[in-house]
């Protein structure tokens, strides 16, 4: 059941070093955040002051220690990670690390497994010196390496700028901007990605077709004349601040809002032609931000238009059916989930309180503070949003797109968004349904096909470029419509 719950939102509301912030203070209303920082917008000319150090790269591929690896290496106990590959022109190869070495410690910190190793290695910046304790040839040795920076994305036909935006005293977010090479002002798109705490920096995805859908979309838009911006969440990649999994909804929204302010101020951006493209959870954040900053238009894809209780119940039911669940068992499970959602979203009980009072609900949580990979306050604040009110207050053109193979979001939510916008701003809301595209922008012929591709880890579906043409044509028409008025 835990795996199904994870699929439901963590994987599916897509798109993974703390700096001393007290997590007990994170439950601030967005209005309080905005008031606190409203006079701290950063001028573009000052942006260089906030440049971030690039994260450091050791340059190895590692695997878990198996019984076979342990026996072959003579390792006394099963700990550390095994080096499967050492990449050329990296700190590792220059520091003498070899294939089949076992990394036991980094700067005295014990290495436990692959996820912990990746997390630990990710806390260091380019230029820092690391002391690695290794197991090689049945003995423990030490190697010192100086970290080289991760490479940056590059493209021969347009510029890619690694910039940044300060949010508060502890948090500065990495922004990655793509722009046409000519010096005129361009329309622009801010991407707001989904729920997951993963990087949106893709320096190793260099061959067409790109493996990442966001990169395919943003690069194509830049080739068509748009500036694009994406933002690394707090504590992800080069960004500093509390890890994204531990911040709340309002704080994450604030970071994207600050980024939008900076995007609109660039001298190569036409500030009157800036759009937001919100994918999944990003489609929920988009109208919240547009309540505070005027944009030319909003595009949302695979998102939510109703309170979380309604969304989660329908989403669970849909996915259980795709799994082929027995109907009687399914009804029992949905009744249990309904009770849980009441305790969590409406009674506002913490995971710890729910686990103590209702032990059979334990598997809904990652731990006593997190669910779907995020802090519970993130989700409870999300539930408190009146999304209809946010869409009502967005006085701009809105395109709500739903892919017919999307088993993560519902057609009705996207129709609802367009209906709300049209009810208060006649003619500004558009609903669009696209065949053969799923939640991840992949070319899937059905929900079931997409579901199996994810749950069975087939990875045999390709990016569907129709999404690029649809959003480009819509933005182009919006800009042409206004120029003809």
């Amino acid at each position: 059941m835990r795996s199904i719950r994870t699929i439901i939102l963590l994987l599916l509301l897509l798109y993974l070093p703390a700096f001393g912030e007290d997590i007990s203070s994170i439950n601030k209303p967005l209005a309080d955040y905005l008031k606190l920082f409203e006079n701290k917008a950063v001028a573009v000319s000052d942006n260089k002051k906030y440049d971030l150090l690039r994260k450091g790269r050791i340059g190895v591929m590692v695997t878990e220690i198996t019984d076979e690896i342990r026996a072959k290496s003579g390792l006394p106990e099963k700990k550390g990670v095994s080096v499967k590959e050492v990449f050329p022109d990296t700190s590792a190869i220059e520091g003498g690390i070899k294939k089949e070495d076992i990394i036991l410690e980094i700067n005295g910190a014990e290495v436990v497994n692959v996820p912990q190793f990746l997390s630990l290695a990710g806390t260091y910046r380019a230029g820092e010196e690391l002391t690695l304790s290794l197991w090689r040839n049945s003995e423990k040795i030490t190697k010192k390496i100086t970290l080289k920076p991760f490479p940056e994305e590059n493209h021969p036909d347009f510029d890619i700028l690694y910039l940044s935006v300060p949010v508060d005293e502890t948090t500065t977010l990495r922004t990655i901007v793509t722009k046409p090479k000519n010096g005129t002002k361009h329309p622009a798109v801010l991407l707001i990605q989904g729920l997951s705490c993963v990087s949106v920096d893709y320096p190793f995805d260099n061959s067409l077709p790109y493996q990442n859908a966001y990169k395919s979309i943003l690069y194509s838009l830049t080739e068509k004349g748009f500036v694009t911006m994406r933002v690394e969440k707090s504590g992800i990649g080069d960004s500093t601040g509390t890890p994204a999994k531990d911040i709340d909804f309002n704080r994450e929204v604030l970071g994207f809002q600050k980024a939008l302010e900076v995007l609109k101020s660039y001298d190569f951006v036409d500030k009157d032609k800036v759009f937001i493209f919100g994918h999944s959870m990003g489609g929920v954040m988009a109208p919240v931000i547009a309540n505070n900053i005027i944009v030319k238009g909003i595009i949302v894809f695979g998102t939510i238009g109703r309170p979380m209780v309604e969304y989660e119940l329908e989403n669970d039911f849909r996915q259980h059916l795709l799994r082929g669940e027995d109907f009687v068992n399914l009804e029992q499970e949905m009744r249990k989930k309904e009770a849980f959602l009441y305790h969590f979203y409406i009674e506002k009980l913490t995971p710890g309180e729910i686990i103590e009072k209702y032990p059979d609900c334990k598997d809904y949580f990652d731990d006593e503070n997190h669910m779907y990979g995020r802090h519970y306050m993130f989700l409870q604040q999300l539930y408190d949003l009146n999304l209809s009110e946010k869409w009502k207050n967005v006085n701009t053109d809105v395109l709500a797109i739903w892919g017919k193979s999307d088993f993560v979001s519902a057609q009705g939510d996207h129709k609802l968004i367009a209906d709300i916008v049209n009810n208060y701003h006649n003619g500004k809301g558009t609903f669009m349904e696209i065949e053969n595209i799923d939640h991840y922008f992949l070319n899937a012929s059905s929900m079931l096909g997409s579901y199996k591709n994810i749950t069975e880890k087939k990875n045999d579906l390709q990016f569907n470029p129709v999404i690029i043409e649809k959003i480009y044509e819509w933005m182009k028409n919006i800009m042409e419509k206004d120029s003809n008025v």
Side-chain angles (χ1 to χ4, degrees):
M1 195 60 65
R2 175 74 177 268
S3 63
I4 293 300
R5 182 185 62 79
T6 303
I7 291 168
I8 289 169
L9 258 168
L10 176 57
L11 288 177
L12 309 181
L13 280 177
L14 178 72
Y15 57 28
L16 266 121
F19 280 71
E21 182 175 352
D22 181 1
I23 195 169
S24 65
S25 67
I26 69 174
N27 194 22
K28 285 179 178 289
L30 181 60
D32 289 353
Y33 279 129
L34 298 178
K35 185 178 295 184
L36 184 60
F37 300 114
E38 62 187 359
N39 296 320
K40 297 187 180 181
V42 180
V44 177
S45 60
D46 294 333
N47 192 249
K48 286 292 180 184
K49 293 193 304 182
Y50 300 95
D51 276 354
L52 291 164
L53 285 174
R54 191 76 170 132
K55 59 185 176 180
R57 183 192 183 202
I58 295 177
V60 293
M61 179 186 294
V62 297
T63 62
E64 300 289 2
I65 303 297
T66 63
D67 291 336
E68 181 182 359
I69 291 174
R70 179 184 173 188
K72 181 180 177 181
S73 66
L75 189 67
E77 53 183 323
K78 198 172 181 179
K79 65 177 184 178
V81 294
S82 177
V83 177
K84 184 177 181 180
E85 185 176 351
V86 182
F87 298 109
D89 193 29
T90 61
S91 310
I93 202 163
E94 291 183 3
I97 298 175
K98 298 181 179 181
K99 186 176 180 179
E100 296 187 353
D101 281 347
I102 294 173
I103 302 176
L104 302 175
E105 296 178 353
I106 301 178
N107 283 358
E110 186 176 88
V111 173
V112 179
N113 53 35
V114 171
Q116 184 260 353
F117 166 79
L118 296 175
S119 177
L120 179 60
T123 63
Y124 297 101
R125 301 272 166 170
E128 291 192 69
E129 185 176 82
L130 302 187
T131 299
L132 302 183
S133 295
L134 307 175
W135 185 261
R136 179 190 295 174
N137 298 329
S138 298
E139 65 175 349
K140 190 174 181 179
I141 63 173
T142 299
K143 293 287 185 180
K144 290 184 181 293
I145 64 173
T146 300
L147 288 180
K148 289 187 172 185
F150 263 76
E152 296 181 354
E153 294 179 31
N154 62 84
H155 197 281
D157 299 328
F158 52 81
D159 297 325
I160 302 178
L161 310 176
Y162 279 70
L163 302 171
S164 58
V165 56
V167 180
D168 60 28
E169 291 79 2
T170 65
T171 306
T172 300
L173 303 180
R174 165 67 71 207
T175 59
I176 303 172
V177 176
T178 62
K179 62 177 286 292
K181 286 185 178 292
N182 66 58
T184 61
K185 288 184 179 290
H186 302 276
V189 176
L190 172 67
L191 168 72
I192 306 179
Q193 63 269 33
L195 183 72
S196 298
C197 300
V198 295
S199 176
V200 289
D201 185 5
Y202 314 114
F204 303 111
D205 185 10
N206 294 318
S207 300
L208 291 171
Y210 297 122
Q211 296 300 304
N212 192 277
Y214 291 156
K215 187 168 186 173
S216 296
I217 294 168
L218 299 179
Y219 275 29
S220 293
L221 290 177
T222 303
E223 290 168 348
K224 295 176 183 295
F226 281 79
V227 170
T228 77
M229 175 187 276
R230 69 202 111 122
V231 184
E232 291 275 54
K233 295 179 181 180
S234 179
I236 302 296
D238 295 341
S239 293
T240 64
T242 302
K245 70 182 181 66
D246 289 325
I247 66 173
D248 62 10
F249 180 87
N250 292 334
R251 191 166 188 78
E252 187 154 295
V253 167
L254 177 65
F256 284 108
Q257 179 163 315
K258 289 293 182 181
L260 179 59
E261 291 173 358
V262 172
L263 176 62
K264 293 189 71 172
S265 68
Y266 288 138
D267 59 9
F268 49 82
V269 168
D270 185 337
K271 67 179 181 179
D272 296 321
K273 296 179 180 177
V274 176
F275 297 83
I276 297 176
F277 176 38
H279 174 220
S280 198
M281 184 58 67
V284 178
M285 295 181 176
V288 179
I289 294 169
N291 271 225
N292 301 301
I293 300 178
I294 296 173
V295 292
K296 186 65 174 177
I298 299 173
I299 303 160
V300 296
F301 179 90
T303 193
I304 302 171
R306 294 168 292 166
M308 284 296 289
V309 170
E310 295 178 47
Y311 165 76
E312 288 206 44
L313 287 173
E314 180 179 348
N315 195 39
D316 276 24
F317 190 81
R318 181 194 310 117
Q319 292 179 27
H320 278 291
L321 289 179
L322 289 171
R323 226 174 105 86
E325 292 279 345
D326 174 80
F327 285 101
V328 174
N329 293 338
L330 175 54
E331 180 167 339
Q332 292 173 341
E333 173 60 29
M334 296 311 297
R335 287 176 182 271
K336 176 184 173 183
K337 185 64 178 282
E338 185 176 31
F340 160 72
L341 294 174
Y342 177 81
H343 300 316
F344 181 68
Y345 285 117
I346 299 173
E347 292 187 315
K348 291 289 189 293
L349 299 183
T350 68
E353 290 169 337
I354 292 175
I355 292 169
E356 182 180 354
K357 291 184 177 181
Y358 312 101
D360 61 337
C361 292
K362 181 178 180 179
D363 285 346
Y364 289 122
F365 298 109
D366 307 328
D367 55 42
E368 291 196 355
N369 283 311
H370 300 91
M371 186 168 77
Y372 308 135
R374 302 306 299 258
H375 197 275
Y376 71 88
M377 286 185 181
F378 181 105
L379 297 162
Q380 289 181 345
Q381 286 181 352
L382 174 59
Y383 174 77
D384 288 341
L385 273 182
N386 186 327
L387 286 174
S388 296
E389 182 179 31
K390 297 302 180 184
W391 283 116
K392 171 188 175 182
N393 294 335
V394 169
N395 187 16
T396 190
D397 288 281
V398 173
L399 173 63
I401 309 176
W402 182 69
K404 290 188 71 173
S405 300
D406 185 346
F407 66 90
V408 183
S409 68
Q411 179 197 60
D413 284 48
H414 299 75
K415 283 185 173 180
L416 176 63
I417 290 168
D419 288 345
I420 294 169
V421 172
N422 281 324
N423 184 69
Y424 297 103
H425 310 284
N426 188 36
K428 291 197 170 185
T430 301
F431 166 71
M432 181 183 294
E433 185 175 275
I434 304 179
E435 299 275 355
N436 300 320
I437 191 167
D438 70 3
H439 191 71
Y440 314 97
F441 309 101
L442 299 178
N443 193 341
S445 60
S446 65
M447 287 187 188
L448 183 59
S450 175
Y451 184 83
K452 287 184 174 181
N453 184 62
I454 296 297
T455 58
E456 298 176 10
K457 299 181 180 179
K458 291 184 175 181
N459 299 319
D460 59 359
L461 299 180
Q462 301 298 314
F463 174 73
N464 190 338
V466 67
I467 186 66
I468 299 169
E469 296 305 320
K470 296 298 184 183
I471 63 179
Y472 170 70
E473 288 298 326
W474 183 82
M475 291 189 294
K476 181 182 175 183
N477 289 338
I478 293 300
M479 292 185 292
E480 290 176 350
K481 177 185 69 175
D482 288 352
S483 65
N484 293 330
V485 172

